[in-house]
Amino acid sequence: GAGVSQTPSNKVTEKGKYVELRCDPISGHTALYWYRQSLGQGPEFLIYFQGTGAADDSGLPNDRFFAVRPEGSVSTLKIQRTERGDSAVYLCASSNDRGLNQPQHFGDGTRLSIL
Amino acid sequence: QKEVEQNSGPLSVPEGAIASLNCTYSDRGSQSFFWYRQYSGKSPELIMSIYSNGDKEDGRFTAQLNKASQYVSLLIRDSQPSDSATYLCAVILSGGAGSYQLTFGKGTKLSVIP
């Protein structure tokens, strides 16, 4: 089926605004991950969902960041009171199940720019 | 302390040569290792996974894992200009209490010169 889909592909907004980033994982994938990638760096983990629940949110940088996955499929990453330092590419990945041997497949990302 | 280390490069090789990309990791208990290719402005694309010591071959790509030395490498044979990209090493670290997040290196930029 289709790969991981992320919308929007680009988002430009002003400092202090609220943004929502959407991820639609590969059909049937139960595990969903959010990462953030800054220029010249590898992706950094934000949060992991297994089904509807956030199994690990240890990578969220502060309480301005929140993510949900209410029906165990589509996920939304929400950022309140955006700051210029939040500018990055936000990547979503999904895998067939949790586990050490389940490769993660990435979407094309959302490039977020905070002016 | 960075837990996954890669030489940032750039690594330049002539077309047709073997490109060798290296990665070390600090967590001795890690069990799962992945190589992703990322073209400029694009998302990471999985090209190899390896879970046990030794070599794993897939077409022109060979992944090598040495857990005793905490070292994983990627060899690209008969390099092509289309292989020019940043190669990211990713590891699932142990002790994650059920989280299977990937920890990435910074990536090695490879340039294949025609």
Side-chain angles (χ1 to χ4, degrees):
Chain A
V4 177
S5 175
Q6 291 188 246
T7 55
S9 55
N10 285 281
K11 177 71 175 179
V12 181
T13 193
E14 294 179 342
K15 177 177 177 291
K17 299 293 188 183
Y18 168 82
V19 297
E20 289 190 351
L21 312 179
R22 175 188 167 105
C23 173
D24 197 344
I26 293 171
S27 178
H29 280 194
T30 58
L32 184 147
Y33 303 79
W34 284 98
Y35 294 85
R36 178 168 72 172
Q37 187 173 25
S38 300
L39 194 63
Q41 304 293 317
E44 294 182 326
F45 170 75
L46 295 175
I47 187 169
Y48 156 57
F49 287 90
Q50 180 59 39
T52 60
D56 182 358
D57 64 358
S58 62
L60 295 178
N62 52 60
D63 62 5
R64 295 187 297 105
F65 289 75
F66 189 70
V68 296
R69 195 186 185 197
E71 299 178 357
S73 179
V74 171
S75 175
T76 304
L77 178 66
K78 307 180 181 191
I79 310 174
Q80 297 178 318
R81 304 183 304 280
T82 52
E83 299 177 357
R84 293 196 177 90
D86 299 335
S87 296
V89 177
Y90 288 80
L91 295 164
C92 177
S94 69
S95 65
N96 194 29
D97 197 354
R98 59 184 157 188
L100 293 171
N101 295 350
Q102 299 298 327
Q104 296 175 30
H105 300 274
F106 285 82
D108 287 338
T110 294
R111 185 174 300 275
L112 178 64
S113 299
I114 309 299
L115 303 180
Chain B
Q1 180 183 356
K2 188 66 176 176
E3 298 177 79
V4 179
E5 297 279 358
Q6 294 181 257
N7 187 327
S8 61
L11 173 66
S12 294
V13 300
E15 184 175 355
I18 295 175
S20 178
L21 303 161
N22 304 316
C23 173
T24 59
Y25 58 95
S26 59
D27 182 357
R28 183 171 290 278
S30 300
Q31 299 183 51
S32 303
F33 308 87
F34 305 89
W35 283 99
Y36 285 83
R37 177 176 62 199
Q38 188 171 30
Y39 292 113
S40 181
K42 301 295 186 182
S43 63
E45 173 191 8
L46 179 69
I47 54 173
M48 289 289 285
S49 59
I50 187 165
Y51 309 109
S52 55
N53 279 329
D55 294 359
K56 179 181 177 182
E57 186 174 321
D58 183 1
R60 296 187 296 111
F61 298 99
T62 299
Q64 299 175 318
L65 175 61
N66 184 326
K67 290 185 178 180
S69 300
Q70 296 174 234
Y71 175 91
V72 58
S73 65
L74 179 70
L75 301 178
I76 306 174
R77 290 181 300 282
D78 189 23
S79 296
Q80 301 297 308
S82 59
D83 295 327
S84 298
T86 295
Y87 288 80
L88 296 163
C89 173
V91 178
I92 297 180
L93 304 177
S94 65
S99 177
Y100 304 99
Q101 57 175 286
L102 295 170
T103 298
F104 285 86
K106 287 187 176 182
T108 298
K109 186 172 183 178
L110 172 66
S111 292
V112 180
I113 311 301

